[in-house]
Amino acid sequence: MYNHNDISKQWYQERARETKASFNLAITLATTTAVFGLIAAGSLFLGNVSATAATTAAGIVSGVTTRRTFKLYEQTSQSLDEAVKVLLDDNAECVTAVQEDPFPN
């Protein structure tokens, strides 16, 4: 037989793992954007590309990754908040049930 608290804990841990993975992906996207920006700046400095092309490319990559990063952050934050709410509600129900009848038949 499964213990309700163990299932809740496992579910919360899975949500936390998913949140951490999403955060790591967001950091990776931000780092990739920074590296791309540096490469574009270096290419511009060396004269390999025009200022317009470097600025446009850096702007597009930055805009896309920033939008995706914030969307990931919002989704994972909401998911974790919901997980905490459910876990707290479940624990409150268990405490109430025990308080009402500590020795059920």
Side-chain angles (χ1 to χ4, degrees):
M1 185 169 153
Y2 289 106
N3 183 351
H4 179 72
N5 288 334
D6 289 341
I7 294 171
S8 295
K9 185 177 177 181
Q10 289 173 355
W11 180 71
Y12 177 77
Q13 288 173 342
E14 177 61 22
R15 288 292 197 188
R17 186 196 65 75
E18 290 172 3
T19 301
K20 185 177 179 181
S22 294
F23 178 77
N24 289 339
L25 178 60
I27 293 296
T28 301
L29 288 172
T31 303
T32 301
T33 300
V35 169
F36 183 80
L38 290 173
I39 291 171
S43 295
L44 177 63
F45 181 73
L46 294 173
N48 294 339
V49 296
S50 68
T52 305
T55 304
T56 302
I60 289 171
V61 170
S62 176
V64 169
T65 55
T66 300
R67 188 177 309 126
R68 183 65 183 145
T69 301
F70 282 121
K71 189 172 183 174
L72 277 172
Y73 173 75
E74 180 184 6
Q75 289 172 346
T76 55
S77 179
Q78 287 175 352
S79 176
L80 193 57
D81 288 346
E82 289 171 11
V84 169
K85 251 187 239 182
V86 169
L87 188 60
L88 291 175
D89 288 346
D90 285 350
N91 284 338
E93 288 173 8
C94 288
V95 168
T96 303
V98 168
Q99 289 173 347
E100 289 173 359
D101 189 6
F103 302 105
N105 293 335

